[in-house]
Amino acid sequence: MRKLLLIALAAFSAVSVARAQVVEKEQEVNLDEEFFTLPEQVTNDYLDSISIKKTAPNNYWILGAYGGVGLNYGMFNPVRYVRWVVQYPTYGFSVIRYFSMFGRFPNMGLELGAQMNYEGYEFKRIKETGNIFTESGAYRAMMRVPEVFAMSHFHFDIGDHFKLLGKVGLYGGYRLDITRIPEESYAQSKTFLEYEHAFREYDRRWSYGVKGGLGFGLMFDPIEIHVVAHVKWGWGYYWDPDYVSPYYYRFGYPLDSGLSIGLYYQLTPRHGHSGAQLRKLAKKIVEQENK
C-alpha cells in the first residue's frame, strides 16, 4: 500500500511539472503574440507621445505653375455703379516651403511667386436715368499688371491625398498698359482718343496691397494639384485722388478676385502630413524599436 501511494505521488508530481511547463510555454507564446499585436491596440494618446526624430513632418519644398481667370471690380468715391469684369488668362509660378512651427504645428508654409494679372473696372448704366459714369470718356478700362507676392501658406491635410489650403500676404505690381472702351458719345472725342491706350499724367502705375485665398489640394506624391479662389484688395489708387481739385477728393482702387489651378512638383519628400499618418509613422517606429 505504501509503495502504491509513493508511486501515485511521484506520478502526480511528474504530471504537475509537465503541465506547468506546458502552461508556461503557452503563456510565452501568448506573450509573444500579445507583444507583436500591441502596436495595433495602443491608444492614439500613446502614439501622439512618441518622439519622431527620423523625419520632420511637412518639412518640404514644392515648385509649380498655375493659370486661371481674374474677376476685376473696383471701389470708388463718389460711389459708382460697377460690375464684375472677367479677364483671362492669368498665369504665374510660385515656390512653397512647408515647415512645422516650433516642431509641433505641421500646418505652416511660406509662398513666394510672380504672376501676370489684370486690373480694371466697368461702370454700369444707371437704370433710373440711363446715364453712365466715364473716365476720360471711357466706361471701361483694363490694365495688364505683372505682380510679385509673398504669402503665409496654411494647409490642413485630410488623409493621404487631400488637403485644405489658406493663404494671405502682400503683393506689388506695375501697370504696364491700359485699354479704354468709350461710351458712344465719346467714341470720336479728342479727350478719349488721346488716352485710349495711354496713361494720363495723374494716373498711378504702381499697384500694391493685400491678397489671400482659400482652396484645396490633391496630392499624388510627388505631384500636387492646387485649386484656389483668390481675393485682392489694392491699396494703390488708379489715379491721384485730388487730380480734379485739392478740395474734391475722388478715388478708385482695385478690389478683385479670381480662380486658379496649379500643378506643383515636390522638390523634397513629404512626411507625416496628417494626424492619422503621424500615428501610423509612430506605430512603425514602435514596432522597429521593439523587435
Side-chain angles (χ1 to χ4, degrees):
M1 177 65 73
R2 186 176 297 177
K3 290 182 179 180
L4 291 175
L5 181 59
L6 291 174
I7 292 172
L9 289 173
F12 178 79
S13 299
V15 170
S16 298
V17 171
R19 179 177 177 80
Q21 291 177 346
V22 170
V23 170
E24 185 177 356
K25 289 182 178 180
E26 290 178 351
Q27 289 177 347
E28 290 177 357
V29 172
N30 290 336
L31 286 173
D32 289 341
E33 292 177 355
E34 183 179 1
F35 174 78
F36 286 112
T37 58
L38 179 61
E40 298 294 336
Q41 301 171 358
V42 295
T43 64
N44 289 338
D45 292 337
Y46 171 74
L47 291 176
D48 290 340
S49 68
I50 300 299
S51 177
I52 300 175
K53 300 179 180 179
K54 298 182 180 180
T55 55
N58 278 318
N59 188 355
Y60 69 104
W61 295 79
I62 63 174
L63 173 67
Y66 60 88
V69 298
L71 295 172
N72 300 143
Y73 197 63
M75 295 294 291
F76 296 89
N77 179 54
V79 176
R80 302 188 178 187
Y81 293 95
V82 293
R83 66 179 55 175
W84 290 100
V85 180
V86 179
Q87 303 285 3
Y88 60 88
T90 61
Y91 53 89
F93 70 92
S94 68
V95 58
I96 303 173
R97 169 72 161 92
Y98 289 117
F99 58 90
S100 295
M101 188 170 66
F102 308 128
R104 294 184 57 86
F105 304 101
N107 305 109
M108 309 298 294
L110 176 65
E111 182 174 2
L112 303 174
Q115 66 179 13
M116 177 60 73
N117 204 356
Y118 296 91
E119 290 180 354
Y121 50 86
E122 180 177 333
F123 302 131
K124 292 193 300 185
R125 193 172 297 276
I126 303 173
K127 294 182 179 180
E128 292 76 9
T129 63
N131 298 329
I132 190 170
F133 291 102
T134 64
E135 284 290 334
S136 297
Y139 73 94
R140 177 178 176 180
M142 184 272 287
M143 293 163 277
R144 289 191 308 146
V145 187
E147 298 172 348
V148 295
F149 57 84
M151 294 189 290
S152 295
H153 187 115
F154 306 95
H155 63 108
F156 302 90
D157 296 2
I158 303 174
D160 292 338
H161 305 294
F162 185 82
K163 63 181 175 181
L164 299 177
L165 303 175
K167 55 181 76 175
V168 63
L170 301 175
Y171 79 91
Y174 187 77
R175 294 160 183 154
L176 281 182
D177 51 40
I178 186 169
T179 299
R180 307 179 198 269
I181 307 300
E183 197 272 332
E184 291 183 4
S185 60
Y186 288 93
Q188 301 301 320
S189 72
K190 182 179 179 180
T191 302
F192 170 75
L193 295 176
E194 183 178 359
Y195 296 108
E196 182 178 6
H197 299 290
F199 289 98
R200 303 164 301 191
E201 60 275 10
Y202 47 82
D203 284 329
R204 293 190 175 185
R205 305 290 293 274
W206 290 103
S207 177
Y208 54 90
V210 63
K211 67 179 297 182
L214 294 174
F216 64 89
L218 302 176
M219 301 174 290
F220 305 97
D221 302 340
I223 299 299
E224 297 189 14
I225 300 172
H226 294 185
V227 180
V228 181
H230 300 273
V231 175
K232 184 179 82 171
W233 177 22
W235 296 339
Y237 296 136
Y238 293 128
W239 55 77
D240 293 339
D242 57 354
Y243 78 88
V244 173
S245 166
Y247 308 105
Y248 183 35
Y249 201 77
R250 51 185 295 177
F251 59 83
Y253 57 83
L255 183 61
D256 303 331
S257 63
L259 180 68
S260 67
I261 301 176
L263 183 65
Y264 288 83
Y265 181 79
Q266 296 168 0
L267 299 177
T268 53
R270 179 174 63 103
H271 298 289
H273 30 272
S274 70
Q277 288 163 338
L278 282 173
R279 296 187 187 104
K280 188 183 298 183
L281 182 58
K283 187 180 293 185
K284 289 182 180 179
I285 292 175
V286 171
E287 290 175 346
Q288 292 172 358
E289 292 180 349
N290 290 331
K291 281 185 179 179

